[in-house]
Amino acid sequence: MYDMAILWEWLAFAVRWTHVITAIAWIGSSFYFIALDLGLNRNIPGPADGEEWQVHGGGFYYIQKYLVAPDAMPAHLTWFKWESYSTWLSGFAMLMVVYWAGANLFLIDPAKADLAIWQAILISAGSLAVGWVIYDFLCKSPLGERPTVLMLLLFAMLVVMSWGYNQVFTGRAALLHLGAFTATIMTANVFLIIMPNQRIVVADLKAGRKPDPKYGKIAKLRSTHNNYLTLPVIFLMLSNHYPLAFGTQYAWIIAALVFLLGVTIRHYFNSMHARKGKPTWTWAATVVIFIVMAWLSSFPGYDTIDASEARALTPTEARFAQAEGFQDAAQIVQGRCSMCHARDPVWDGIRWAPKGVFLETKADIASHAHQIYVQAGISHAMPPANVTEISDADRQVLARWFRAAS
C-alpha cells in the first residue's frame, strides 16, 4: 500500500505536468488568434477579410483571413482542436486522481455537507455537465443576438455556482471545481460548436456550395467567450496553492470577482490589439478588485480548535487515528510541525498556515495522514530545510504509522 501511495503521487505529478503543457498550448494559440484577428488590416482589396505581416524567429509571415472561406479548398489545412481537448482530458484526469481518489481529504468537508464519497463524486461530475447545458441553451436562445446581456447572465451563473460549490465542498475544491466548470464550457464550445461549424463550412466548400456566414458568426461568439474566461480559469486552477484564496468564508465572492478581473485585463489587451487605444482605466479597476479580494481573504473560514476537537471523525480519519503508532506520530507532528501549521501560527514570519493545512488536533493530523507521510515521512520536503530538526528516526515513525493504517 505504501508503494502505491508513492506511485499515486508520481501519477498525480505526471497528469498535472501534462495538463500544464497542454494548457499552455491551448491558451497560447487562443490568445494568438484573438490578437491576430483584432489586429488585421481590413482596408485591403480582394475577397480576404483582412491581412497581417508579422515577424518572428528571423522570418516574415504574411497572413490573410477569409470571413467565410476562400474560393477553393486549400491543399493543406491546419486545425486547432487537440490543444483544447488534451487540456480538458488531462484536467479531468487530475480531478479524478486528486479530488475523487482523495475525496475524504480534498473534496468533502463534513462541516458543510457530510457526503458519502459517491455522492460527492456525483455532484462533482454532474455539475460540470449541467453547466454546459445551461450555457448552451442561453447561447442558442434569442440572447445569442445580445452578447452583452448574455455575458452578464453567464457571470450570474458563475456566481451562483461559486456559492453552490462552497456550500458542499472544501474551499480549495470549490474554487477548483468552478475552474473545471468554466473550462468544461470552453472545451465544449470547441468540441460541440466551433469545430462542427468549421466542418460544415469545409464540406460546403468541397461540394462547391457557398458557405453560410452564420456558422462563422456563431463560432466567433463562442471563441470570444473563451477568450474572456481563460484568465479566471488559470487563477482558479492555481488557487489551491494559496490558502488565502480558498480558506475564507468569502472564497466564493473572491472566485466571482476573479471573472471581473478577466474582463478588465482582456479588455485592455483586446483594445490594444484592435488598435482602439489603451484603456488604462482597466488597470485601475483591476487593482481595486484585487484589493477587495485581498481584504475578503482576511476573514477566516475554518473550524476553530474546539470545533475540530468536538466533531466526529470521518471513517478515514478514524482509521488513521486508531492505527498503531498514531500517538507517537501525533507527538512528532505537534512538536515539529504545528508551530507553523496552526490556526494562529507562532513561528516567526508565518502568519497563515502553509497551504491552509492545520496539524493541531487529532482530526487535523488524521485527515492529513497522506500529506504527512509524503512530505515528512518518506521525503524531507517538510519542514523546509528541516528547520525544526525532525530526525530520521522520527520520519520513520511517521512512515510506519501511515503504513499501519494503510
Side-chain angles (χ1 to χ4, degrees), residues 56-298:
H56 180 74
F60 292 86
Y61 298 81
Y62 177 60
I63 304 166
Q64 285 189 323
K65 175 191 174 182
Y66 288 80
L67 190 60
V68 178
D71 293 333
M73 181 67 186
H76 177 72
L77 184 63
T78 300
W79 297 76
F80 291 86
K81 55 182 179 178
W82 290 110
E83 299 91 340
S84 173
Y85 303 163
S86 300
T87 300
W88 189 87
L89 289 171
S90 58
F92 190 70
M94 192 164 67
L95 180 69
M96 292 189 292
V97 170
V98 177
Y99 287 90
W100 291 5
N104 282 318
L105 176 59
F106 297 119
L107 184 59
I108 299 173
D109 185 346
K112 294 180 179 179
D114 193 9
L115 302 171
I117 292 178
W118 69 267
Q119 292 174 320
I121 293 175
L122 185 62
I123 293 173
S124 171
S127 63
L128 303 185
V130 168
W132 162 253
V133 172
I134 297 174
Y135 164 80
D136 187 54
F137 172 79
L138 292 175
C139 287
K140 291 178 178 177
S141 73
L143 292 172
E145 300 297 326
R146 305 176 65 185
T148 300
V149 176
L150 182 60
M151 284 291 285
L152 290 174
L153 286 175
L154 175 58
F155 176 68
M157 180 177 71
L158 292 169
V159 172
V160 171
M161 290 305 301
S162 181
W163 177 84
Y165 278 133
N166 200 56
Q167 301 305 302
V168 294
F169 292 150
T170 64
R172 61 181 291 173
L175 266 63
L176 188 284
H177 274 76
L178 185 63
F181 177 91
T182 309
T184 298
I185 289 175
M186 295 170 65
T187 296
N189 273 338
V190 176
F191 182 66
L192 298 175
I193 301 297
I194 297 174
M195 291 306 301
N197 284 8
Q198 289 179 340
R199 291 190 185 98
I200 292 173
V201 171
V202 169
D204 286 342
L205 199 61
K206 287 181 177 180
R209 298 187 296 267
K210 183 179 180 179
D212 191 332
K214 74 174 184 180
Y215 296 109
K217 181 180 178 181
I218 293 171
K220 180 68 178 297
L221 175 66
R222 303 299 182 102
S223 182
T224 301
H225 289 170
N226 283 5
N227 177 249
Y228 280 100
L229 293 174
T230 298
L231 294 182
V233 169
I234 295 174
F235 180 99
L236 294 170
M237 294 308 180
L238 293 175
S239 66
N240 67 94
H241 298 287
Y242 296 91
L244 286 178
F246 65 77
T248 168
Q249 58 185 306
Y250 298 120
W252 68 276
I253 300 179
I254 291 175
L257 291 176
V258 167
F259 288 94
L260 296 183
L261 287 183
V263 171
T264 57
I265 295 172
R266 288 310 305 166
H267 178 68
Y268 175 85
F269 285 102
N270 289 344
S271 297
M272 182 180 67
H273 293 147
R275 300 183 180 91
K276 294 181 179 179
K278 299 179 179 180
T280 53
W281 65 266
T282 59
W283 291 111
T286 299
V287 170
V288 171
I289 296 171
F290 198 83
I291 291 174
V292 171
M293 290 165 54
W295 174 68
L296 290 172
S297 73
S298 65

